[in-house]
Amino acid sequence: YLDNAYRAYSEATLDKKEATLNSFIQMWLSKPSLPTDFEAARDDIWPILRAGAEFYTSSLAVEVDTGVKHRLAHRGIDNTHLSVGLAFDTPKVRLLISRDMLQDWNVDLGETIDVAMKNLSKSLSGKYNFLAIGKLYQVMDAGPYGDTIFLQPGILDSLGFKGDPVVMVPRRNQLLVADSQDDAALSLMVEMTKEALESKSGQFCSSTAIQLKNGKWSTYSLPEGHKLQSALDFLHKREQSYYYSSQKEVLVQYLEKIDDSSGVATYQLFLDSEDKPVSMATWSNGVDTLLPVTDLVCLVHSPLDENSAVTVAKWKVMQRACCRLLTVSNHSPIRFQTRGFPSPELLEKIKMELPK
């Protein structure tokens, strides 16, 4: 909430800064008054776009602070990492809608998202446009919830692409659309997303591209050896690093509250000798750990010995060999819970050379 207030204040013109700040102060000090039934709320419900991991981390943070189980209402977008959630937004109250609120209103998630999308469509009728930057398109004048507009049926047809629409949302309310068959547009999309990652303005959303194919959204991938493959892979891993890292502190606090002594491994990202992005996490002997999914896993045989031997394994090799020592946790992004440590014989079996 402080991030939202700071961004709104920073982006406001000088003559509107005081009014912007006062509106947030009024909202913080006022006691939220929510409608008791869905019909009274429906006109003020809006769709919001976030990574599924962000919804999960926000829910977990509330649970850590209050001790009350809290789950924000959201639905994944087909086979992607993104989700559509719900905001209740009036001049005096602005909050994300939880599953408990939907239960109190006796309405299901799908129906509520449909209402939110219709509200957005009605509010944007004739008021937004696709700004062409070369052959890359950026949605303009779509308001605070306009980054979900690409989910409106047929909305991208007017762009006349030869291939499939490819979408990236590097910052909230920054929607980029390119043709999958246009390398120049895709390259510009990558560059603009890199700039957004380095910029301090706006709030990060996603640096992973998604593609609409045969009516379904999925993570966008390029053929092996394509000139943009490494750049897209790096942006995707930057996003993974962001969400794993931003969640770690909250997850540690959560584990302490439930008396779970497991460690939370750090998602490490670096470039190899060929400037290709490589991710890695550490699994130490004697420490049950929540491992992020990475390219490599560094297994530390004797963590109390500074000269301890280590084994570096590819994730898939390690997962296959250590399947009895790993279980999938219910956290998002996905983490694997370790129990025990590979035997010396198993370590020899999965050993590999460190990357050059």
Side-chain angles (χ1 to χ4, degrees):
Y1 294 110
L2 286 176
D3 283 345
N4 291 338
Y6 177 75
R7 179 170 59 86
Y9 180 81
S10 299
E11 295 176 356
T13 57
L14 186 60
D15 60 316
K16 294 183 179 180
K17 284 187 181 294
E18 183 176 353
T20 300
L21 184 58
N22 287 339
S23 69
F24 276 95
I25 293 173
Q26 182 182 10
M27 184 171 60
W28 292 333
L29 295 179
S30 64
K31 184 177 181 180
S33 177
L34 301 175
T36 56
D37 64 272
F38 180 64
E39 288 306 313
R42 64 184 300 142
D43 290 343
D44 296 308
I45 296 174
W46 303 90
I48 58 171
L49 185 73
R50 303 284 189 274
E54 183 168 350
F55 282 117
Y56 178 81
T57 301
S58 297
S59 297
L60 196 63
V62 172
E63 186 173 342
V64 168
D65 288 341
T66 65
V68 178
K69 200 171 187 66
H70 182 78
R71 290 294 177 264
L72 291 173
H74 65 99
R75 182 178 67 193
I77 300 174
D78 298 333
N79 188 30
T80 75
H81 63 296
L82 294 172
S83 284
V84 176
L86 298 161
F88 179 76
D89 191 349
T90 70
K92 292 187 177 181
V93 180
R94 189 180 304 160
L95 52 78
L96 301 185
I97 293 174
S98 69
R99 293 186 180 274
D100 286 343
M101 291 174 64
L102 296 184
Q103 187 174 354
D104 291 342
W105 287 339
N106 194 29
V107 64
D108 66 35
L109 176 60
E111 180 183 351
T112 312
I113 289 177
D114 288 344
V115 167
M117 295 301 292
K118 288 177 182 177
N119 287 342
L120 177 68
S121 180
K122 187 188 302 183
S123 73
L124 293 181
S125 180
K127 296 179 182 178
Y128 72 93
N129 63 83
F130 287 100
L131 174 66
I133 309 171
K135 292 186 178 181
L136 175 69
Y137 291 89
Q138 179 168 324
V139 175
M140 303 294 292
D141 305 317
Y145 303 107
D147 51 13
T148 59
I149 197 173
F150 70 94
L151 298 172
Q152 300 276 4
I155 201 74
L156 302 178
D157 293 347
S158 63
L159 300 179
F161 289 159
K162 295 180 180 179
D164 301 313
V166 177
V167 163
M168 294 186 83
V169 190
R171 290 180 288 204
R172 296 180 191 177
N173 310 318
Q174 183 186 21
L175 174 61
L176 305 176
V177 188
D179 187 335
S180 63
Q181 293 188 14
D182 190 329
D183 284 355
L186 292 171
S187 180
L188 183 56
M189 175 184 278
V190 166
E191 290 306 312
M192 290 184 67
T193 301
K194 286 180 178 179
E195 290 175 7
L197 283 172
E198 301 302 326
S199 172
K200 294 182 179 179
S201 64
Q203 291 175 287
F204 177 75
C205 182
S206 171
S207 56
T208 299
I210 62 174
Q211 174 184 23
L212 180 63
K213 194 175 187 66
N214 299 323
K216 293 290 184 181
W217 290 97
S218 61
T219 301
Y220 180 59
S221 59
L222 287 165
E224 185 72 28
H226 192 284
K227 63 181 181 180
L228 291 175
Q229 181 189 30
S230 181
L232 280 176
D233 188 33
F234 178 71
L235 289 174
H236 172 62
K237 288 175 181 175
R238 275 286 298 270
E239 177 173 345
Q240 288 184 310
S241 176
Y242 175 85
Y243 284 115
Y244 275 124
S245 300
S246 62
Q247 184 190 81
K248 182 175 179 177
E249 183 179 351
V250 174
L251 193 51
V252 168
Q253 293 173 352
Y254 172 75
L255 293 175
E256 290 175 351
K257 275 186 172 289
I258 64 172
D259 295 324
D260 188 329
S261 61
S262 296
V264 181
T266 298
Y267 183 101
Q268 304 169 61
L269 184 61
F270 59 92
L271 297 176
D272 66 11
S273 58
E274 298 178 351
D275 285 335
K276 293 181 179 179
V278 179
S279 58
M280 186 170 70
T282 299
W283 179 3
S284 296
N285 192 1
V287 182
D288 288 339
T289 303
L290 282 168
L291 286 177
V293 179
T294 51
D295 297 317
L296 303 174
V297 180
C298 179
L299 299 113
V300 182
H301 303 196
S302 305
L304 297 180
D305 180 359
E306 62 180 20
N307 296 315
S308 170
V310 298
T311 298
V312 176
K314 291 182 178 179
W315 177 271
K316 290 183 178 179
V317 173
M318 180 278 299
Q319 186 180 15
R320 183 170 59 249
C322 303
C323 58
R324 295 184 180 180
L325 303 175
L326 299 170
T327 55
V328 182
S329 73
N330 61 355
H331 301 297
S332 176
I334 294 173
R335 295 178 191 264
F336 281 76
Q337 175 72 62
T338 70
R339 297 298 183 195
F341 193 76
S343 65
E345 294 77 16
L346 196 54
L347 288 170
E348 285 299 318
K349 188 175 181 180
I350 64 177
K351 187 178 293 186
M352 60 166 288
E353 293 183 0
L354 286 167
K356 296 180 180 179

